[in-house]
Amino acid sequence: ALQARPLQTPEPEDADYLFRQMADFQFLIVSLGRLRKAALVAQSVAAVSGEIRSAVETFDAALPGLARMRNVGEHVEDYAIDSTMRHDKTVDRRMLQVARWDENVFMWLGEQLSLAAAQSAARELYLALKDAQQRVGTDER
């Protein structure tokens, strides 16, 4: 919700910074990726492993383009020069430059990320993590 709010409202810096929404979408992508990583860590707790795995699978199904966007965004230096080290060889440097935003859907790299779907999926994964933590307790490893 914190990362989604600036995408839903005009901001004072919009007049000076034309690409603010693009930057805010990148921050959202990073935040969603980190939430997912936290869930992967939680899967190591045997008592909740199955339910967290299921929650991650639901999250991934709701946001199918997220992994590609996150991977390219996190390793943009490799993609910017068409490095042979880039994981997804179907993405080249020209694709980095083209993105669209239509007030609810961010389109980049041939993928789409719906703001509403992202908020819903993140909320559900967060609640699954919170529920698991409350049931297991903070001292469980």
Side-chain angles (χ1 to χ4, degrees), residues 6-132:
L7 291 164
Q8 298 169 318
T9 60
E11 297 294 320
E13 63 272 13
D14 286 351
D16 296 323
Y17 185 44
L18 298 175
F19 300 106
R20 187 220 18 117
Q21 288 178 320
M22 173 72 153
D24 284 338
F25 247 109
Q26 292 295 332
F27 292 138
L28 176 64
I29 289 165
V30 169
S31 296
L32 292 168
R34 290 193 178 160
L35 174 62
R36 185 180 185 281
K37 284 181 184 180
L40 295 177
V41 170
Q43 279 182 190
S44 68
V45 178
V48 295
S49 181
E51 73 185 70
I52 298 299
R53 182 175 293 108
S54 178
V56 169
E57 288 171 0
T58 300
F59 178 84
D60 289 345
L63 304 174
L66 178 63
R68 186 179 206 197
M69 290 180 179
R70 191 223 65 87
N71 292 341
V72 171
E74 288 293 302
H75 303 284
V76 71
E77 67 281 4
D78 290 331
Y79 290 90
I81 61 170
D82 288 336
S83 168
T84 58
M85 299 298 292
R86 67 192 193 279
H87 177 72
D88 187 341
K89 305 279 193 291
T90 66
V91 175
D92 67 38
R93 67 184 183 280
R94 294 169 294 180
M95 294 171 72
L96 301 178
Q97 302 172 44
V98 181
R100 287 189 7 235
W101 158 244
D102 78 354
E103 302 302 319
N104 185 50
V105 178
F106 179 62
M107 292 153 274
W108 186 48
L109 307 172
E111 303 290 348
Q112 295 186 16
L113 181 64
S114 160
L115 184 57
Q119 287 181 283
S120 177
R123 184 179 314 106
E124 292 303 313
L125 184 55
Y126 170 76
L127 290 174
L129 288 168
K130 185 176 176 181
D131 180 61

